[in-house]
Amino acid sequence: MSLGEIYFYTLTGLVSIFSFFIYLLVEDIKLFSIFKKIFLIAVIILIIGILLVFFDLSYLSNSKTIFIYSLPLVALLLNRSFFLINNELFGEPFIWIRGGFLRGFWYSKVVDEKQITFLKWVYYTYCTILHLSQIFLLLTLFRKFFI
C-alpha cells in the first residue's frame, strides 16, 4: 500500500465520519447560520472529491469516490429539507429519545415533558421514525454501492 493510497483512504474515512456527524446535527441545522457554515464545508468536500477524480488520484472507482465525497452534502440537505417540510406542515418537530428529547450540540430546546399530550407524543414519535429512516437509507445506498 503506497503512501498516496493511505492518505486517500484516511481522507475518505474522515469524510464518512463527517457525514455521520452532520447526520447527528438534527437539531442544530435548524439554525440558518450553522446550516450555511456546514453547507460551505460540504460543498468544499465535494469539490475535493471531484478534483481527486479529475486528477486521477482516487483509488476507488470514479462514481464511488464522488458518492462518498457527496455524502455530507446529501445528509445535510436531507436533514434540512425534512425539518423544513415538517415545520411548514405541522410545526416544529422534536426528536424523541429514551429519557427525553434530543438536544443539539449548539441548539437546545427545553420542553416540559409532563405537558405533552398523547397526540403530540404520537407526532414526536412519527418525526423520530422519519429521522431514523434517513440513516437506513444512507446505509442501503452504501451497501448497494460497495457490493
Side-chain angles (χ1 to χ4, degrees):
M1 184 178 265
S2 68
L3 189 60
E5 197 172 356
I6 292 171
Y7 285 150
F8 174 77
Y9 286 123
T10 303
L11 184 63
T12 304
L14 290 175
V15 167
S16 300
I17 290 170
F18 183 67
S19 65
F20 185 70
F21 177 72
I22 289 175
Y23 171 75
L24 293 177
L25 293 176
V26 175
E27 294 290 325
D28 296 317
I29 61 169
K30 291 180 189 177
L31 299 174
F32 192 69
S33 61
I34 294 174
F35 173 76
K36 285 192 312 187
K37 292 173 188 172
I38 295 175
F39 182 78
L40 182 65
I41 293 170
V43 168
I44 290 171
I45 289 174
L46 179 61
I47 291 170
I48 289 171
I50 291 171
L51 288 175
L52 286 173
V53 169
F54 183 72
F55 290 115
D56 200 28
L57 296 173
S58 64
Y59 290 93
L60 295 172
S61 68
N62 293 344
S63 59
K64 289 180 183 178
T65 303
I66 295 296
F67 174 73
I68 290 173
Y69 282 80
S70 68
L71 271 178
L73 188 62
V74 169
L76 179 69
L77 293 177
L78 271 175
N79 271 342
R80 183 71 179 183
S81 63
F82 166 69
F83 279 109
L84 285 177
I85 290 169
N86 275 310
N87 200 14
E88 290 297 320
L89 294 177
F90 306 110
E92 186 178 10
F94 297 96
I95 302 300
W96 177 261
I97 58 172
R98 174 177 267 158
F101 288 99
L102 181 65
R103 292 185 176 85
F105 293 102
W106 295 286
Y107 176 77
S108 183
K109 179 102 174 169
V110 179
V111 177
D112 187 13
E113 296 180 25
K114 295 176 184 173
Q115 294 182 358
I116 296 175
T117 63
F118 180 72
L119 188 60
K120 284 189 178 183
W121 180 82
V122 169
Y123 170 63
Y124 297 154
T125 305
Y126 157 76
C127 288
T128 304
I129 290 170
L130 279 180
H131 173 69
L132 291 177
S133 67
Q134 288 181 36
I135 192 70
F136 295 120
L137 171 69
L138 291 176
L139 288 175
T140 304
L141 287 173
F142 258 125
R143 182 182 175 278
K144 186 167 183 111
F145 226 83
F146 287 115
I147 293 179

